[in-house]
Amino acid sequence: MAFLALGINHKTASVDVRERVAFTPEQLVEALQLLCRSTPSREAAILSTCNRSELYLEQDELAADDVLRWLADYHRLNIDDLRACAYVHQDDSAVRHMMRVASGLDSMVLGEPQILGQMKSAYAVAREAGTVGPLLGRLFQATFSTAKTVRTDTAIGENPVSVAFAAVSLAKQIFANLHRSQALLIGAGETISLVARHLHDQGIKRIVVANRTLERASQLAEQFGAHAVLLADIPQELVNSDIVISSTASQLPILGKGAVERALKQRKHKPIFMVDIAVPRDIEPEVGELDDVYLYTVDDLHEVIEENLKSRQGAAQAAEELVSAGADDFMQRLRALAAVDVLKAYRQQAERLRDEELAKAQRLLAAGSSAEDVLAQLARGLTNKLLHAPSVQLKKISADGRFEALAVAQELFALDEGPSKS
């Protein structure tokens, strides 16, 4: 039994290399089956994301070079180039690495939660491919359990460390109940899409997406049951908007002080929370001078994110300790399981010897021998047979000078405890 974790990630390889080593969802099942046929791997799973490609394996004997060669051949890469950026973890280290990855401790964004879902998907695909057996299956379950404990018992994932999440978190601080609020999102790019998702998940009452082209705004709006408008419609929408978050590629401001002043009058000075994520700015800085406007820039959000990262880094030490405890516990339980087969074989051998001596005793009784003599012979014969194999092996071990094995035998047979008094 040997565990192996081999791969590359954002710390060891460039985006170009990571793209070339990545597996598409369509490739995974076939790749897993090929991996098990082409290497000494009895069980296998592959985790492939934009930031990492990792192979988790169970092998009779560790064969990292064989796996690395397979990975290079599969992706048609030079093995020396791949070796330069690959890392290998074995046995206890492989277990600990998997648990760190699933807990977000090895992520580009410390504590990010998406990786656990990606790890669970990797396990599901490996099960579909038939390449996960009892040992790797137990490791995945222990990994998921440890990652859950890290999420529950530490604050590593509590504070937002993305611009989109930080913006929504600030909105929640100002508007305690987003269920009554309307948000106006200006732009339709990736950041605004993430903002819309976070707001939608928080149960906001209404989302309006304003964009230069209505088609792009409509595509985003459809995903979250939002309303799409053009940039020219912003003044009308501003009147009913409690939250305004903007992120466009415009070189000139989209929202000026005059438009916001007019909206505030119509709102009877009900506050507006604004976040300008764009660089250059979408919202004129003078807007922040208005009463009843809470205006944050991308720099303000980065300050929040930096503080939150410090908080996560503080929680990371506790998370690392939980991972170490989880890895140690798993390996102890696995080693205990390894004794089960030995104990089973030893018991079967003892029961076979018992049955042989019992059958002999029954024949002697049937032939008229005294019960006392038969019992004495049964005890003597069973003792001799049970001790024969261990005696032969202990003499051989002693002759070979393997004194550490003799010490183990003394512990195994509890010989230091002295004779039983029962």
Side-chain angles (χ1 to χ4, degrees), residues 143-220:
T143 296
F144 300 151
S145 177
T146 297
K148 183 178 179 181
T149 300
V150 168
R151 293 281 163 195
T152 303
D153 294 358
T154 74
I156 195 165
E158 288 185 1
N159 299 310
V161 289
S162 73
V163 169
F165 198 4
V168 174
S169 296
L170 284 172
K172 285 176 63 182
Q173 292 178 25
I174 293 173
F175 300 98
N177 190 352
L178 293 183
H179 297 270
R180 300 176 182 174
S181 302
Q182 172 174 307
L184 171 60
L185 308 183
I186 304 174
E190 182 179 352
T191 300
I192 289 297
S193 178
L194 286 171
V195 169
R197 184 173 299 282
H198 290 313
L199 286 171
H200 182 266
D201 291 345
Q202 293 297 325
I204 194 161
K205 179 181 177 182
R206 187 169 186 258
I207 298 174
V208 176
V209 180
N211 192 52
R212 183 175 56 83
T213 63
L214 192 60
E215 180 183 2
R216 183 70 187 92
S218 298
Q219 289 174 354
L220 177 57

Side-chain angles (χ1 to χ4, degrees), residues 29-141:
V29 169
E30 183 182 13
L32 283 164
Q33 294 169 346
L34 183 61
L35 173 59
C36 287
R37 289 197 302 269
S38 307
T39 70
S41 306
R42 294 186 301 186
E43 302 180 41
I46 296 174
L47 173 67
S48 187
T49 73
C50 57
N51 286 328
R52 71 180 65 242
S53 288
E54 294 187 341
L55 281 57
Y56 307 128
L57 310 166
E58 193 276 316
Q59 302 178 326
D60 278 328
E61 294 183 4
L62 291 170
D65 278 346
D66 290 345
V67 176
L68 193 66
R69 191 173 297 105
W70 175 87
L71 187 61
D73 289 344
Y74 186 89
H75 289 293
R76 299 178 182 176
L77 298 172
N78 181 288
I79 190 169
D80 292 330
D81 292 343
L82 186 57
R83 185 178 281 114
C85 57
Y87 45 83
V88 176
H89 299 279
Q90 300 176 355
D91 289 331
D92 298 51
S93 178
V95 171
R96 186 169 283 102
H97 176 74
M98 281 183 65
M99 292 182 176
R100 291 189 76 253
V101 170
S103 300
L105 290 169
D106 197 52
S107 296
M108 182 179 290
V109 177
L110 180 65
E112 59 95 3
Q114 289 83 7
I115 188 64
L116 179 56
Q118 292 166 334
M119 184 81 85
K120 288 181 176 180
S121 295
Y123 172 60
V125 172
R127 288 188 64 187
E128 178 188 345
T131 60
V132 167
L135 293 176
L136 204 55
R138 286 192 182 97
L139 175 52
F140 268 105
Q141 294 306 320

Side-chain angles (χ1 to χ4, degrees), residues 404-418:
E404 73 287 350
L406 286 175
V408 171
Q410 191 166 8
E411 181 181 354
L412 178 65
F413 294 118
L415 298 181
D416 289 336
E417 296 180 3

Side-chain angles (χ1 to χ4, degrees), residues 182 184 206 208 210 227-230 233-242 244 267:
Q182 172 174 307
L184 171 60
R206 187 169 186 258
V208 176
H227 179 60
V229 299
L230 291 169
D233 299 318
I234 288 176
Q236 298 94 295
E237 296 296 338
L238 199 57
V239 175
N240 297 313
S241 298
D242 307 296
V244 178
R267 288 172 60 84

Side-chain angles (χ1 to χ4, degrees), residues 283-416:
I283 303 174
E284 287 183 349
E286 291 77 13
V287 171
E289 300 170 3
L290 296 172
D291 293 334
D292 306 312
V293 170
Y294 300 88
L295 176 61
Y296 291 81
T297 67
V298 69
D299 289 340
D300 298 323
L301 293 186
H302 282 310
E303 289 178 13
V304 173
I305 290 168
E306 282 297 317
E307 287 300 313
N308 290 346
L309 274 174
K310 289 178 184 176
S311 173
R312 287 194 176 194
Q313 287 162 355
Q317 181 57 45
E320 293 282 8
E321 291 173 4
L322 289 172
V323 165
S324 291
D328 291 344
D329 178 66
F330 172 76
M331 292 304 292
Q332 286 174 6
R333 286 188 287 113
L334 201 62
R335 290 178 184 123
L337 283 174
V340 171
D341 289 340
V342 176
L343 287 170
K344 183 178 178 181
Y346 185 61
R347 176 174 289 277
Q348 288 173 343
Q349 182 189 66
E351 289 175 347
R352 178 176 55 79
L353 296 174
R354 176 204 64 197
D355 292 343
E356 289 175 359
E357 291 303 307
L358 183 59
K360 187 184 298 183
Q362 288 170 336
R363 288 195 297 271
L364 289 171
L365 286 172
S369 299
S370 71
E372 186 176 347
D373 290 342
V374 170
L375 284 174
Q377 185 168 337
L378 172 63
R380 186 170 55 253
L382 186 57
T383 300
N384 288 338
K385 285 196 173 184
L386 287 173
L387 290 176
H388 175 70
S391 298
V392 171
Q393 292 301 317
L394 283 170
K395 288 178 182 178
K396 186 177 184 300
I397 287 170
S398 180
D400 291 343
R402 295 164 57 194
F403 300 114
E404 73 287 350
L406 286 175
V408 171
Q410 191 166 8
E411 181 181 354
L412 178 65
F413 294 118
L415 298 181
D416 289 336

